[in-house]
Amino acid sequence: MTRLIRPTLLTLTLLTTAAAQDAQTVRLGFFPNLTHAPALVGLERGTFQKALGKVKLDAREFVSGTTLTEAFAAGQIDIAYVGPGPAINAAGRGMPVQFLAGASEAGAVLVVRKDSGIKSYRDLGGKIVAVPSLGNTQDISLRHILNENGLKPRADGGTVTITPIAPADVLAAFAAKRVDATLVPEPWGAALEAQGHKVIGSEKTVWRDGKYPTTVVIVNAKFAQANPQIVAAFLKAHTEAVAFINRSPAAAQTAVNNQLLKATGTKLDPRVLQRAFARTRFTTNLDLAALTEYAKLNVEAGYARSAPDLAPFIRK
């Protein structure tokens, strides 16, 4: 009996070790937003590549959670920084997704064009409001705000037109008067405010007194199973990046600005970044209760028929 068990365990060990060594590259998805600062800081400082050693880091930019989860579903991304909305939708659709860690909380504001005449949420009726993409985290939050104020999207028989615009492009959309308002992640909210536009929904009044995840880190479950050491190394680097941001915010803002310049061709005024940082918290914690509430808002928004039990999707 013992002779039979030992070779089997040895074989399993060898197979596990071989699988753990399969990946030569980690494909990472992220957005050029402040709410993805751990990704931006980790890339700028080389934190991820140092932790991964000989495994190559292939970092890819996305403009919305919708496009990122499409790439995730197609097996083009292994690990990603993404909003909870798209991540929950991915879990609900049966994608092999695991929640690895939190990344940021709050960090999104509702800004109205200075000549729009909008002074409160109720004034959004009949207006055009931009979100990064339909079905993303800010879109779901906006639909909840409308619902709480007796308004509906035009597509649902109401008067509010919700339109997707990449956050980095929303400044141009305001300048051209193509939209009246936007629920947008930082630093783009602070950048609009610096141009004289008005914040009517702060990071705290958007939802849950600001105690909600804005960005989480997810991993392809199959990749995680085959490459546990690589995932552990990445998670360690992510934790280091978050700690650096909280320990050295001025240096972190410089790192973020450098990455924004590379990604968007735009470098922000340091005072804008400081204001955006003040509205955003960076953490590795995953708030399951908040994620569960978000899943219910996703149903309220009409993007899912039921809220999935997210506990099994949290990586232990």
Side-chain angles (χ1 to χ4, degrees):
M1 186 70 176
T2 302
R3 289 178 181 175
L4 288 174
I5 291 175
R6 282 180 176 171
T8 302
L9 289 175
L10 176 61
T11 303
L12 287 174
T13 301
L14 291 174
L15 285 173
T16 302
T17 303
Q21 295 174 345
D22 279 347
Q24 300 300 313
T25 302
V26 173
R27 299 166 299 178
L28 172 68
F30 70 100
F31 308 163
N33 296 336
L34 175 63
T35 48
H36 290 228
L40 302 178
V41 169
L43 291 171
E44 180 69 14
R45 290 173 51 81
T47 310
F48 298 130
Q49 190 58 75
K50 181 180 179 181
L52 293 172
K54 295 181 180 179
V55 177
K56 180 183 177 183
L57 178 68
D58 178 6
R60 306 178 184 184
E61 299 165 17
F62 291 83
V63 298
S64 74
T66 304
T67 56
L68 188 148
T69 51
E70 288 174 353
F72 196 86
Q76 298 170 352
I77 297 295
D78 304 310
I79 300 175
Y81 288 81
V82 68
I88 291 169
N89 277 329
R93 292 202 297 269
M95 290 187 198
V97 58
Q98 288 184 341
F99 289 72
L100 264 184
S104 68
E105 295 179 346
V109 292
L110 206 164
V111 187
V112 301
R113 214 180 62 236
K114 53 189 173 186
D115 58 353
S116 67
I118 303 170
K119 296 181 179 178
S120 69
Y121 289 156
R122 292 185 181 277
D123 295 332
L124 293 172
K127 302 296 186 180
I128 302 174
V129 187
V131 293
S133 67
L134 299 180
N136 92 319
T137 304
Q138 283 74 49
D139 179 29
I140 294 169
S141 296
L142 173 63
R143 290 169 192 267
H144 180 61
I145 288 171
L146 297 181
N147 185 50
E148 290 217 314
N149 286 275
L151 298 170
K152 290 182 180 179
R154 190 172 293 278
D156 296 333
T159 61
V160 182
T161 300
I162 301 177
T163 185
I165 295 179
D169 296 333
V170 78
L171 283 82
F174 265 53
K177 298 187 178 182
R178 289 192 284 115
V179 297
D180 302 299
T182 182
L183 182 48
V184 67
E186 295 290 10
W188 311 112
L192 287 169
E193 194 175 17
Q195 294 182 350
H197 303 297
K198 305 298 182 184
V199 172
I200 66 164
S202 73
E203 77 282 5
K204 293 183 179 179
T205 59
V206 164
W207 186 52
R208 223 172 177 262
D209 197 29
K211 299 174 183 176
Y212 56 89
T214 306
T215 303
V216 297
V217 185
I218 61 173
V219 62
N220 182 298
K222 295 179 181 177
F223 179 89
Q225 184 178 15
N227 302 280
Q229 293 178 350
I230 291 176
V231 173
F234 181 88
L235 188 55
K236 180 175 181 292
H238 168 67
T239 302
E240 290 178 4
V242 170
F244 178 81
I245 293 169
N246 291 324
R247 183 176 65 246
S248 306
Q253 289 164 25
T254 299
V256 167
N257 225 352
N258 289 340
Q259 283 291 312
L260 290 178
L261 179 62
K262 294 175 184 176
T264 68
T266 300
K267 195 165 188 174
L268 296 176
D269 186 316
R271 291 170 296 183
V272 171
L273 265 184
Q274 289 173 7
R275 178 174 295 176
F277 256 72
R279 294 171 174 163
T280 312
R281 290 187 302 279
F282 299 100
T283 178
T284 60
N285 293 332
L286 273 173
D287 188 339
L288 181 57
L291 288 172
T292 299
E293 286 188 43
Y294 231 116
K296 294 176 181 176
L297 295 190
N298 199 33
V299 175
E300 177 188 280
Y303 287 116
R305 292 183 178 179
S306 61
D309 177 9
L310 295 174
F313 294 93
I314 305 295
R315 184 171 174 79
K316 306 300 181 185

